[in-house]
């Protein structure tokens, strides 16, 4: 009887561990419903959450495409320069641990929205035998309803994606 309980317990533990270590894409930014939220006509706190999460998850997953999906490539201010900064930071650091949160968001009179977000980022340099370092950053995003839905069209500080230590 004890052997049977131990055997069943071992099977359950193994199955649970296998479920926890499953590989595959992160549930974000391909979460169902995110694109629907970004397609809303009116701005909402949910839009702010999705845009900030795409930036944070894109960094954490080292996924340029996911990160850039928060921005409108046609209307974003200096999109090409920002894309180059993102490429440089992804090459300079092999891993990121990111915690982000939306502090506030509001619709502006001109139809854009302002989002204030906090990021706590631990960056692991790509060079061997280097220690990770942490930084805290406050990011102010301006979002607009574009042909692609709600997307970030500008942000500050402009050096948020610049690789520095």
């Amino acid at each position: 009887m004890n052997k049977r309980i131990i055997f069943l317990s071992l099977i359950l533990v193994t199955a649970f561990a296998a479920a926890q270590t499953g590989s595959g894409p992160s549930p974000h930014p391909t979460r169902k419903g995110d694109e629907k939220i970004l397609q809303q006509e009116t701005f909402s706190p949910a839009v702010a959450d999705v845009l900030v999460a795409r930036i944070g998850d894109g960094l954490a997953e080292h996924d340029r495409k996911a990160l850039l999906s928060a921005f409108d490539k046609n209307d974003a201010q200096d999109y090409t320069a920002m894309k180059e900064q993102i490429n440089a930071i992804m090459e300079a650091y092999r891993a990121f641990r990111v915690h982000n949160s939306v502090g506030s968001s509001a619709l502006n009179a001109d139809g854009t929205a302002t989002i204030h977000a906090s990021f706590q980022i631990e960056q692991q340099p790509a060079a061997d035998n280097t220690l990770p370092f942490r930084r805290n950053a406050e990011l102010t995003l301006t979002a607009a309803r574009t042909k692609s839905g709600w997307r970030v069209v500008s942000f500050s500080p402009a050096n948020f994606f610049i690789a520095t230590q």
Side-chain angles (χ1 to χ4, degrees):
M1 179 77 165
N2 283 341
K3 288 181 182 181
R4 180 181 276 173
I5 291 172
I6 292 172
F7 180 72
L8 290 174
S9 297
L10 187 58
I11 289 173
L12 286 172
V13 169
T14 304
F16 180 76
Q20 295 297 313
T21 59
S23 61
S26 168
H28 201 81
T30 57
R31 256 185 348 202
K32 290 185 180 179
D34 279 3
E35 199 54 44
K36 186 176 180 181
I37 290 169
L38 295 177
Q39 294 303 319
Q40 295 174 358
E41 287 299 318
T42 58
F43 181 80
S44 69
V47 170
D49 290 339
V50 170
L51 292 173
V52 170
R54 284 186 173 191
I55 295 168
D57 291 350
L59 277 173
E61 295 168 7
H62 221 268
D63 185 343
R64 293 169 178 88
K65 186 175 179 182
L67 196 160
L68 288 168
S69 73
F71 297 88
D72 185 79
K73 62 182 170 186
N74 298 317
D75 294 332
Q77 182 179 6
D78 283 335
Y79 182 83
T80 302
M82 178 193 59
K83 189 174 176 182
E84 290 171 4
Q85 290 173 1
I86 290 169
N87 286 335
I89 200 170
M90 294 286 185
E91 289 177 22
Y93 299 96
R94 74 174 134 204
F96 300 92
R97 295 176 105 178
V98 181
H99 175 75
N100 53 271
S101 62
V102 174
S104 66
S105 62
L107 186 63
N108 302 319
D110 65 358
T112 64
T114 300
I115 304 165
H116 296 282
S118 298
F119 286 82
Q120 298 164 339
I121 305 168
E122 181 179 290
Q123 301 173 197
Q124 176 64 51
D128 290 334
N129 300 321
T130 56
L131 296 174
F133 73 97
R134 292 186 177 140
R135 68 178 174 121
N136 295 319
E138 298 295 320
L139 191 60
T140 300
L141 306 166
T142 301
R145 182 75 169 79
T146 68
K147 291 183 278 184
S148 303
W150 285 95
R151 296 292 189 268
V152 175
V153 293
S154 69
F155 64 95
S156 68
N159 66 350
F160 180 78
F161 294 114
I162 294 179
T164 59
Q165 187 166 0

